[in-house]
Amino acid sequence: MTHRINRRTRLSFLGDYLGLLGVLALLVVLCSLTTQHFFSLITFRTIANQIPDAVIIASGMTLVLIIAGIDLSVGSLLALSAAVLGVAMVNWQQPLVVALLLALATGLGAGLLNGLVIVRWRLPSFIVTLGMLEAARGAAYLATDSKTQYIGSQIEAVAEANILGLGLPFAVALVTVLALQVLLTQTLFGRHLFALGGNEESARLSGVRVERVRVAVFTLAGGLSGLAAIIHCARLGAADPNAGIGYELNAIAAVVIGGTSLMGGRGSVVRTLLGVLIIAVLESGLAQAGAGEPTKRLVTGGVIVAAVIMDYYRNRERL
Amino acid sequence: MLSRFITLAVASLMLVICACERATAPPTEGEGAVSVAPEVAGKPRIALIMKSLANEFFLTMENGARAHQQAHADQYELIAQGIKDETDVSRQIQLVEQMMAQGVNALVIAPADSKALVSVLKRAQDAGIVVINIDNKLDEGVLAERGLKIPFVGPDNRKGARQVAEYLVQQLKPGDPVAIVEGAPNAYNAMQRKLGFEEALTAAGMKIVSSQTANWEMAQANQVVSGMITEHPELKAVLCANDSMALGAVAALRAAGKLGEVKVVGFDNISAVQDLLKQGEIIATADQHADQLAVFGIKFALDILAGKQAPADKETPVDLVRKP
């Protein structure tokens, strides 16, 4: 019985990606037809330049949603990590490496705190990370004195570095996605995540150390926000305490478009990457078509819901 | 267990809030820092109500006002408050009501919304409080409809933007394609700056090929400008309605290898753009003297209270800042 299900899952594996890839291809065609300069290397390079931080944050969010949690603090943690990075370089005159490590440590630390509070008092992650969303934003304002810290060429070198023709940030994002996908599908830890998201009690009974897994996932999500902060700062050459507002919702949108269930127990990081790409192509196309802000938001909102509706029908067919 | 923890947390939060508030003030969720100078009878009490203190601009404004109050502590008391984010209109209305309850003599306010605040400010004025409008001008139409006169003390954003754009066009040829990155669409300042840019650009015969909002934000401007230079590869200049967006624009140009080819101007003269101005990556911005904006309003309120001046609009300076 299990054997047959496995085989069917494997067969539909490619189909899984094909659906999303189809939507993506359709969007690219639509945008190319409606705007003059969309279908060009520059556009795709621009998109590749814009999305790495979003990809990294959404990857972390995928793990959190798989264990049926939610992390609303990722945008604020990005701002806080960026603030630490900026202050370390501008005010404390620290070398780049030290500043980068401090930014990562900030994200990891805050994520760890999220996880520990959630587990210690058995609180819903929604509430705890909502608190962190506020607190980390406040801390970011405090650290920077509410001022944008201009860092300049030192940090921009990170964005300009190349690996095999790919920008370093984009390469880092791809490696993150692949590493997390391997973690999810090929390791015991990954199986524990799905077990915990599917049914916490039975996971606990079958020997999964639920608390540890949960703390690890929130710590990882925090650390990935720190990594995203570094890439965000590198792209802009500056650390802005108002950075990342609303990123948590964009990440959730991308993850859900990628078919990860908000109820937990199901999801894939590669599909999340496709989700981020779909939103990025859409936004880029609309901006180039000169669409106004209201149109952009209407269309983006519509596409998010439409993508999830499509996913619903595809899942029903499979059952 | 859980509910007991929450009760405890709420109770301790209330305690902290009560400790911060003055006994006369009704208890509220205290997100804005409340500071009250020591009370001395006879000195006028002035309330400064601002928008988001998370914004560098308003923080500079508040710090300027505090410094002025400390230097003139014998002349007035200052109560400075801000809201959590710039769009929290109802919270700002609540703050005005609290200040009325505290019996302040004057109210200097940067309204979060140019229409929604009018009605509560009318009540304040009716209660005999001197009301001064700074930063974001209240809507003329609504003021006229309520038969209300509230003096506006502040810079002419349209004129400032025009100055910046006039400086920029000297370095361009007539017919050159240019683009505007606008501020938040519902902000009066954003509209004024856009109009100022447009006036100078059309007068000099430039072609405005794109005008989009990035909601005052650096990351959004980065995205918008990336799209603009792809769709209009021949672009010669980008005019940004504030400096944060100019920073985002510069980053987009750098990524596209078009730095220097496309000229960038901003507005506000924030500390983060100083290096870029020196390097010529941003060629000009406008300084509306943020640290003095609230002070101008406070001084004017003191003059009116002392009967030295009659309430009327008062323009404060905006200066063009170029590469040093």
XYZ file of all heavy atoms in Angstrom, chain B residues 103-144:
299
model
N -4.754 70.417 29.105
C -4.821 71.869 29.161
C -3.571 72.564 28.667
O -3.083 73.520 29.281
N -3.017 72.114 27.537
C -1.862 72.819 26.987
C -2.301 74.157 26.403
O -3.476 74.357 26.095
C -1.153 71.981 25.890
C -0.595 70.704 26.460
C -2.096 71.715 24.729
N -1.355 75.094 26.258
C -1.686 76.405 25.710
C -1.600 76.430 24.189
O -2.310 77.191 23.540
C -0.747 77.466 26.263
C -0.762 77.495 27.773
O 0.042 76.831 28.419
N -1.716 78.209 28.334
N -0.688 75.631 23.656
C -0.546 75.608 22.200
C -0.258 74.203 21.722
O 0.296 73.380 22.451
C 0.565 76.552 21.764
N -0.650 73.951 20.482
C -0.498 72.636 19.887
C 0.209 72.820 18.551
O -0.288 73.529 17.686
C -1.899 72.068 19.666
C -2.103 70.605 19.419
C -1.695 69.798 20.628
C -3.575 70.354 19.119
N 1.402 72.226 18.412
C 2.118 72.295 17.140
C 2.055 70.895 16.548
O 2.535 69.944 17.157
C 3.586 72.728 17.361
C 4.348 72.741 16.042
C 3.627 74.099 18.020
N 1.436 70.758 15.366
C 1.157 69.410 14.865
C 1.561 69.204 13.410
O 1.359 70.071 12.570
C -0.346 69.071 15.074
C -0.648 67.644 14.592
C -1.253 70.080 14.362
C -1.968 67.100 15.054
N 2.169 68.034 13.162
C 2.433 67.579 11.795
C 1.382 66.513 11.500
O 1.533 65.368 11.904
C 3.825 66.976 11.683
N 0.280 66.885 10.835
C -0.850 65.955 10.721
C -0.507 64.722 9.868
O 0.119 64.851 8.817
C -1.943 66.773 10.027
C -1.407 68.141 9.860
C 0.057 68.125 10.088
N -0.950 63.561 10.334
C -0.724 62.330 9.577
C -1.644 62.276 8.368
O -1.394 61.565 7.413
C -0.964 61.121 10.471
N -2.730 63.043 8.428
C -3.658 63.087 7.297
C -4.155 64.529 7.206
O -4.535 65.130 8.210
C -4.831 62.142 7.550
C -5.755 62.040 6.351
O -6.392 63.060 5.991
O -5.834 60.958 5.769
N -4.132 65.083 5.991
C -4.435 66.506 5.894
C -5.927 66.803 5.993
O -6.326 67.952 6.115
C -3.837 67.104 4.617
O -4.002 66.237 3.541
N -6.775 65.774 5.961
C -8.215 66.035 6.098
C -8.774 65.535 7.436
O -9.545 66.213 8.087
C -8.978 65.356 4.959
C -8.690 65.999 3.619
C -9.453 65.332 2.499
C -9.083 65.990 1.177
N -9.477 65.181 0.029
N -8.346 64.321 7.815
C -8.970 63.657 8.957
C -8.709 64.361 10.290
O -9.460 64.190 11.246
C -8.486 62.215 9.042
N -7.664 65.175 10.364
C -7.317 65.809 11.634
C -8.069 67.126 11.863
O -8.075 67.661 12.971
C -5.798 66.081 11.672
C -4.903 65.066 12.381
C -5.256 64.993 13.855
C -4.981 63.688 11.786
N -8.691 67.663 10.783
C -9.253 69.003 10.847
C -10.295 69.128 11.958
O -10.283 70.072 12.746
C -9.862 69.401 9.477
C -10.665 70.677 9.602
C -8.759 69.567 8.450
N -11.164 68.126 12.062
C -12.279 68.264 12.977
C -11.826 68.307 14.434
O -12.308 69.126 15.219
C -13.257 67.150 12.623
O -13.794 66.590 13.693
N -10.865 67.495 14.812
C -10.402 67.515 16.202
C -9.602 68.796 16.479
O -9.655 69.360 17.576
C -9.577 66.245 16.550
C -8.222 66.255 15.906
C -9.422 66.109 18.059
N -8.909 69.307 15.451
C -8.153 70.545 15.643
C -9.101 71.735 15.808
O -8.793 72.692 16.517
C -7.195 70.776 14.465
C -6.030 69.777 14.403
C -5.161 70.016 13.179
C -5.178 69.842 15.675
N -10.258 71.653 15.172
C -11.261 72.712 15.346
C -11.718 72.741 16.806
O -11.816 73.793 17.421
C -12.460 72.468 14.422
C -13.544 73.539 14.566
C -14.595 73.393 13.502
C -15.821 74.261 13.679
N -15.738 75.430 14.506
N -11.924 71.554 17.364
C -12.333 71.492 18.772
C -11.246 72.070 19.667
O -11.542 72.773 20.634
C -12.631 70.045 19.167
C -14.081 69.671 18.950
C -14.397 68.333 19.536
N -13.941 67.264 18.663
C -13.391 66.135 19.102
N -13.203 65.942 20.392
N -13.004 65.215 18.239
N -9.988 71.789 19.320
C -8.887 72.322 20.123
C -8.877 73.838 20.058
O -8.728 74.528 21.078
C -7.562 71.766 19.618
N -9.071 74.367 18.837
C -9.060 75.809 18.678
C -10.240 76.437 19.418
O -10.088 77.465 20.078
C -9.124 76.153 17.191
C -8.277 77.354 16.849
C -8.260 77.648 15.360
O -9.278 77.512 14.674
N -7.114 78.055 14.863
N -11.410 75.782 19.327
C -12.597 76.279 20.019
C -12.359 76.315 21.524
O -12.934 77.131 22.247
C -13.818 75.397 19.711
C -14.277 75.589 18.272
O -13.811 76.559 17.628
O -15.079 74.766 17.783
N -11.517 75.399 22.007
C -11.226 75.355 23.444
C -10.170 76.391 23.828
O -9.688 76.407 24.960
C -10.760 73.964 23.836
N -9.780 77.242 22.869
C -8.859 78.327 23.182
C -7.388 77.960 23.061
O -6.515 78.697 23.531
N -7.088 76.841 22.439
C -5.691 76.440 22.263
C -5.171 77.012 20.948
O -5.869 76.970 19.929
C -5.579 74.897 22.256
C -6.043 74.342 23.609
C -4.156 74.451 21.963
C -6.129 72.837 23.666
N -3.967 77.561 20.969
C -3.346 78.041 19.734
C -2.872 76.829 18.938
O -2.093 76.026 19.435
C -2.148 78.968 20.046
C -1.378 79.308 18.766
C -2.632 80.240 20.732
N -3.366 76.662 17.708
C -2.989 75.508 16.909
C -2.108 75.951 15.735
O -2.450 76.876 15.005
C -4.229 74.767 16.365
C -3.809 73.579 15.519
C -5.131 74.332 17.503
N -0.943 75.315 15.618
C -0.040 75.609 14.508
C 0.190 74.328 13.716
O 0.468 73.281 14.288
C 1.342 76.105 15.016
C 1.194 77.252 15.996
C 2.253 76.451 13.847
C 1.043 78.589 15.394
N 0.089 74.439 12.411
C 0.256 73.295 11.514
C 1.681 73.334 10.939
O 2.094 74.341 10.381
C -0.828 73.430 10.423
C -0.714 72.413 9.307
O -1.222 72.646 8.226
N -0.067 71.292 9.544
N 2.423 72.230 11.123
C 3.757 72.171 10.504
C 3.840 70.970 9.571
O 2.969 70.095 9.592
C 4.902 72.086 11.549
C 4.701 70.893 12.472
C 5.011 73.364 12.336
C 5.891 70.585 13.364
N 4.889 70.923 8.763
C 5.242 69.794 7.891
C 4.228 69.472 6.798
O 4.471 69.718 5.635
C 5.517 68.542 8.731
C 5.851 67.349 7.862
O 6.802 67.496 7.063
O 5.178 66.324 7.946
N 3.115 68.876 7.146
C 2.131 68.439 6.160
C 0.944 69.386 6.246
O 0.256 69.434 7.262
C 1.737 67.000 6.476
C 0.718 66.452 5.512
O 0.586 66.925 4.390
N -0.029 65.459 5.959
N 0.681 70.151 5.182
C -0.332 71.205 5.240
C -1.739 70.612 5.273
O -2.059 69.682 4.543
C -0.182 72.096 4.013
C -0.838 73.457 4.136
C -0.399 74.315 2.946
C -0.817 75.756 3.041
N -2.193 76.005 3.354
N -2.588 71.167 6.141
C -3.979 70.726 6.195
C -4.692 71.143 4.921
O -4.367 72.157 4.310
C -4.675 71.345 7.410
C -4.183 70.824 8.761
C -4.612 71.752 9.878
C -4.700 69.414 9.010
N -5.680 70.368 4.535
C -6.388 70.592 3.276
C -7.164 71.919 3.291
O -8.013 72.145 4.158
C -7.348 69.428 3.050
C -7.948 69.449 1.675
O -7.340 68.852 0.783
O -9.007 70.076 1.495
N -6.856 72.773 2.307
C -7.486 74.103 2.225
C -9.005 73.994 2.158
O -9.729 74.718 2.829
C -7.007 74.829 0.953
C -5.506 74.973 0.806
C -5.012 76.266 1.405
O -5.817 76.949 2.058
O -3.812 76.573 1.223
N -9.475 73.079 1.312
C -10.910 72.930 1.074
C -11.653 72.581 2.354
O -12.670 73.212 2.682
N -11.126 71.615 3.098
C -11.788 71.187 4.325
C -11.743 72.300 5.370
O -12.722 72.562 6.075
C -11.133 69.901 4.878
C -11.822 69.454 6.151
C -11.186 68.797 3.839
N -10.616 72.997 5.451
C -10.491 74.119 6.398
C -11.536 75.181 6.089
O -12.221 75.681 6.987
C -9.089 74.736 6.314
C -7.947 73.977 6.973
C -6.633 74.710 6.766
C -8.204 73.789 8.461
N -11.679 75.520 4.799
C -12.624 76.555 4.386
C -14.055 76.119 4.708
O -14.860 76.906 5.220
C -12.471 76.835 2.893
